[in-house]
Amino acid sequence: MIATVKSCGLLGIDGYVVEVETDISNGMPAFDVVGLPDAAVKESKERVRAAMKNSELDFPQRRITVNLAPANIKKEGPFYDLPICLGLLRGSGQLPGEEPDAYMFLGELSLNGTLRPVAGALPMVLCAAKAGIKKVILPKENALEAAVVEGMEIYPAGSLGEIVAHFLQIKRLERVTVDVHKIFEEQAFSCADFAEVKGQESVKRALEVAAAGGHNVLLIGSPGSGKTMLAQRLAGILPKPSLEEALEITKIHSIAGALPTDTALITARPFRSPHHTISAVGLSGGGRIPRPGEVSLSHNGVLFLDELPEFNKSALEVLRQPLEDGCVTISRVNATLTYPCNTMLVAAMNPCKCGYYGDAQRECTCSEAQIHQYLSKISGPLLDRIDLHVEVPSVSYRDLETKEPGEPSANIRERVEAAREKQRLRFKEAGIYSNSQMSTAMLQEFCHLGEAESDLLGKAFERLGLSARAYSRILKVARTIADLADSETIGISHLAEAIQYRSLDRKYW
């Protein structure tokens, strides 16, 4: 007898429907799984056998063939345990009726029949909704993230026995629902506040511009000047993500297995700060079984790289394409996967090995060759992709001594949100969220310069030796500064400030 049960697989951040076909026929007892299964899927045979036995269900001692269709895509992960088991139960007549045809099943089985959570539940439920499957049974730990998908009926289960009892009408599973709007209302911002930062008003202004337009930033200054402290407070002035952005963030964290327990939706923008010993694969994503890297886990948020020159050069160079395209493409023999990574890169570094080159208070002990060697760890192409280059001076005693608090993050966030709202309305037809994502055609449409502004940019282009990419980055930053000033056009002052943020590399590089 042949029985079919619906499940799901993952390709990048998107799911695809997998039909688990089970054939039970006469012959020597055997259990084969076909359809390009990986080692975890092949091992499901033993988990399914033990789970059925320990749940007091009969394992059919006949020839069993399980096909995971489509057979041309490699199947990875343990979430096929439950659909394979239910296929055996249907094929052997222990689960009668056609009700399971309306469901999608996801879940890893333990040997005693309990269900364990799986990674990637949210994108798989979104796939079910797109395919017209309205009911999903999965582990109870995955229920909240799955229930954020509108119009879906989510039934969490704790064990195989509960699912069998559900279909035998002995005890029905209870449906789980969540209020997405309530989750958004209860969102809390980062407790780290810009009011705690003494001085550094010019750097705060640069970070406000970066947050308003989603621009990349390089902070360069001597040790103890507050680079890390400032970067850690950037998350507190970023605007709330939209529902679409929150779903994208949650999907990526779900696939990576990084979604916190009992979390339905990540409603805060991520702030990732990997250590400088991270590998290129850890930063960009990949591996034998491809997984999102730090640059994708910071999608729609901030990727903070402290002590930038200490990172492996190969790891830094792998960021060049993702920063430009907003996505990471991982190619393997069986498939090509794409993970989004529209992130704000915030990097911090010292100007030399001792840290005091150019410092007004302490003398640098590095030779010219040592300074050049240290700064050359940051390549020109990577530097070109960073919109704002900001010098962070040492904090004076007078600033540290003052009792007056700085401007709180809440006030800065209001201005950032107002600027982002202008951008949302401007790009609502284009499907992007910020000025940093503008294409070349959009630059011509939204960043028109007057004669005086064009003349200023032309002089800066020649004097600073800017590249074509730097030219477009200056226009994007100038557009953001104009948005913060509530100006429909880019003025001289907006353009001059944007050019100022590109002049620092001439001093050091």
Side-chain angles (χ1 to χ4, degrees):
M1 180 178 176
I2 296 179
T4 302
V5 172
K6 295 183 182 69
S7 188
C8 193
L10 289 172
L11 278 175
I13 65 165
D14 298 314
Y16 63 96
V17 176
V18 174
E19 290 193 350
V20 181
E21 302 171 332
T22 306
D23 176 68
I24 302 177
S25 57
N26 295 325
M28 291 291 292
F31 193 168
D32 295 313
V33 179
V34 298
L36 284 183
D38 73 343
V41 181
K42 290 178 181 177
E43 291 170 354
S44 67
K45 297 184 292 186
E46 303 308 320
R47 291 194 294 271
V48 167
R49 193 193 307 270
M52 290 180 67
K53 177 176 68 83
N54 292 318
S55 299
E56 299 182 354
L57 299 166
D58 294 329
F59 184 84
Q61 298 297 328
R62 298 164 70 187
R63 182 168 184 79
I64 302 168
T65 304
V66 175
N67 178 43
L68 305 177
N72 63 328
I73 302 176
K74 191 171 182 63
K75 314 302 185 304
E76 299 167 339
F79 36 77
Y80 298 108
D81 290 5
L82 180 58
I84 289 173
C85 185
L86 293 176
L88 290 176
L89 290 173
R90 296 192 74 188
S92 60
Q94 298 179 67
L95 207 62
E98 298 180 354
E99 187 183 2
D101 290 337
Y103 289 77
M104 177 178 280
F105 300 93
L106 308 166
E108 177 187 348
L109 286 170
S110 63
L111 299 185
N112 64 0
T114 58
L115 284 179
R116 287 180 173 150
V118 295
L122 176 57
M124 289 190 279
V125 173
L126 286 167
C127 169
K130 191 175 180 180
I133 304 169
K134 298 299 182 184
K135 299 179 180 181
V136 179
I137 291 180
L138 41 56
K140 55 188 178 183
E141 290 87 351
N142 297 120
L144 290 179
E145 63 171 299
V148 302
V149 183
E150 190 176 354
M152 294 296 291
E153 297 180 25
I154 305 300
Y155 297 94
S159 67
L160 177 60
E162 291 179 12
I163 298 172
V164 173
H166 174 80
F167 288 115
L168 293 179
Q169 306 291 329
I170 297 172
K171 184 179 180 182
R172 303 290 283 182
L173 296 172
E174 294 184 6
R175 180 183 171 186
V176 167
T177 59
V178 298
D179 188 341
V180 176
H181 298 289
K182 186 177 180 181
I183 293 173
F184 263 73
E185 289 171 1
E186 294 175 350
Q187 175 189 359
F189 282 97
S190 170
C191 58
D193 200 295
F194 268 109
E196 302 164 357
V197 181
K198 304 290 186 178
Q200 305 293 18
E201 298 304 321
S202 63
V203 186
K204 292 178 187 177
R205 167 64 180 177
L207 291 178
E208 179 182 340
V209 172
H215 302 290
N216 302 325
V217 189
L218 173 64
L219 303 175
I220 182 168
S222 56
S225 57
K227 302 183 296 295
T228 303
M229 185 180 186
L230 285 157
Q232 289 172 341
R233 280 151 181 76
L234 181 60
I237 65 172
L238 291 175
K240 280 186 179 182
S242 64
L243 179 58
E244 292 78 12
E245 288 177 301
L247 282 171
E248 288 176 356
I249 295 167
T250 309
K251 281 168 68 175
I252 295 170
H253 282 72
S254 177
I255 291 165
L259 192 66
T261 306
D262 298 329
T263 299
L265 194 67
I266 297 177
T267 55
R269 295 185 183 274
F271 182 91
R272 306 288 297 187
S273 180
H275 193 259
H276 60 76
T277 55
I278 191 171
S279 66
V281 171
L283 198 56
S284 66
R288 187 181 61 82
I289 299 175
R291 288 288 182 269
E294 289 291 334
V295 70
S296 293
L297 289 169
S298 60
H299 178 60
N300 289 332
V302 177
L303 175 63
F304 177 48
L305 302 183
D306 202 3
E307 305 296 344
L308 187 66
E310 302 301 327
F311 281 79
N312 190 298
K313 191 158 188 176
S314 62
L316 291 180
E317 293 307 302
V318 86
L319 287 176
R320 285 159 56 175
Q321 179 262 337
L323 289 178
E324 192 71 19
D325 299 342
C327 62
V328 176
T329 301
I330 302 167
S331 296
R332 294 291 182 267
V333 173
N334 296 312
T336 298
L337 309 179
T338 299
Y339 294 112
C341 59
N342 178 33
T343 181
M344 277 181 63
L345 173 65
V346 179
M349 63 177 288
N350 297 329
C352 65
K353 196 165 186 178
C354 78
Y356 296 104
Y357 174 60
D359 188 81
Q361 298 178 1
R362 297 190 60 173
E363 185 178 350
C364 174
T365 60
C366 301
S367 66
E368 189 174 331
Q370 287 175 320
I371 294 170
H372 176 74
Q373 182 184 16
Y374 187 79
L375 293 175
S376 66
K377 293 180 180 179
I378 313 302
S379 69
L382 178 61
L383 200 63
D384 217 22
R385 287 167 169 82
I386 299 177
D387 305 351
L388 288 79
H389 305 158
V390 184
E391 190 166 24
V392 185
S394 298
V395 184
S396 66
Y397 177 75
R398 186 174 183 178
D399 286 333
L400 290 173
E401 190 186 37
T402 182
K403 303 300 181 184
E404 295 182 10
E407 186 178 21
S409 293
N411 292 0
I412 303 174
R413 188 169 59 246
E414 286 181 8
R415 297 195 295 269
V416 169
E417 287 179 339
R420 283 287 184 109
E421 180 62 18
K422 292 183 178 68
Q423 295 163 52
R424 188 188 68 79
L425 295 174
R426 182 183 300 138
F427 305 126
K428 62 182 178 182
E429 302 297 331
I432 62 175
Y433 306 111
S434 63
N435 288 331
S436 64
Q437 298 172 279
M438 280 193 287
S439 64
T440 304
M442 292 177 185
L443 284 175
Q444 296 176 353
E445 182 179 355
F446 300 116
C447 300
H448 178 72
L449 299 179
E451 186 176 342
E453 290 80 12
S454 183
D455 184 54
L456 173 63
L457 185 54
K459 290 178 180 177
F461 191 87
E462 293 177 2
R463 186 171 298 176
L464 299 176
L466 300 175
S467 66
R469 182 181 287 113
Y471 168 82
S472 66
R473 302 265 172 180
I474 287 174
L475 288 179
K476 291 176 182 179
V477 173
R479 180 65 267 172
T480 300
I481 295 169
D483 288 339
L484 283 168
D486 197 19
S487 173
E488 291 298 322
T489 58
I490 297 174
I492 285 283
S493 60
H494 310 141
L495 190 60
E497 184 178 353
I499 292 170
Q500 170 198 321
Y501 294 133
R502 296 295 308 190
S503 60
L504 191 61
D505 55 342
R506 190 171 180 86
K507 173 180 177 180
Y508 291 104
W509 282 273

